[in-house]
Amino acid sequence: MRRYDCTIDGTDREPVGDRNGHVIVSLQYTCRVADGLLRDAGITAISVSEWDSEKGTYLASLDVHRSLGGYAVGQLLEGEGSSVMEDNRAAGIAASGKTVFKFASGSLAALSGKTVKFTTKPVGSRRFEMEFTGWPEDAQRK
């Protein structure tokens, strides 16, 4: 498992116009490894999702992973999300899905062609935590 602390850098919501609550959301975010030896590793990403009120389907996402001596590019295979409410207010999004690594080199080369699962949960204003499971051990250690 690999866990990241993420910050939302920008977001855009566009109503589709065919019914209330139907929107397309684009989100730009950056992440850093939460703890451990790979603290300097990070992600820069953009994600696009379709929402029907409180439920969302991820349409596309591209994430660039960097670590000391390594580089990898992940592409969304599938994903879905739902709004998380706290004290009758929207606290953020919980999501899950799968990503495939289309390119990987250096210390992240073990990711090349691999599929990993991800989950997210909100942890504060414009912040969320993302966890990957199925991360190859070779890419974890380097």
Side-chain angles (χ1 to χ4, degrees):
M1 179 174 59
R2 193 174 228 197
R3 189 181 61 195
Y4 289 84
D5 290 323
C6 303
T7 302
I8 298 169
D9 300 320
T11 185
D12 187 35
R13 297 174 58 90
E14 289 291 328
V16 175
D18 59 346
R19 60 187 179 274
N20 284 340
H22 190 201
V23 296
I24 299 294
V25 176
S26 63
L27 185 72
Q28 300 84 38
Y29 60 92
T30 53
C31 306
R32 294 279 177 244
V33 168
D35 51 27
L37 297 174
L38 299 170
R39 282 190 307 271
D40 294 331
I43 301 172
T44 303
I46 184 166
S47 174
V48 179
S49 53
E50 175 186 17
W51 287 81
D52 198 355
S53 294
E54 306 300 316
K55 299 288 183 191
T57 302
Y58 286 81
L59 304 173
S61 183
L62 188 64
D63 41 272
V64 177
H65 295 248
R66 297 168 319 284
S67 107
L68 189 59
Y71 195 82
V73 178
Q75 181 179 333
L76 176 79
L77 289 175
E78 62 185 59
E80 55 186 38
S82 61
S83 295
V84 175
M85 304 296 283
E86 288 180 6
D87 299 325
N88 292 327
R89 294 182 41 214
I93 303 295
S96 63
K98 294 180 183 177
T99 295
V100 64
F101 286 94
K102 301 292 235 172
F103 172 85
S105 68
S107 62
L108 296 177
L111 292 172
S112 187
K114 301 291 185 202
T115 297
V116 297
K117 293 181 180 180
F118 69 87
T119 59
T120 70
K121 66 180 178 181
V123 293
S125 178
R126 302 184 67 79
R127 294 183 48 241
F128 63 96
E129 183 176 275
M130 181 167 16
E131 288 185 353
F132 291 96
T133 55
W135 197 270
E137 280 300 313
D138 290 343
Q140 186 73 20
R141 281 185 248 123
K142 294 181 181 176

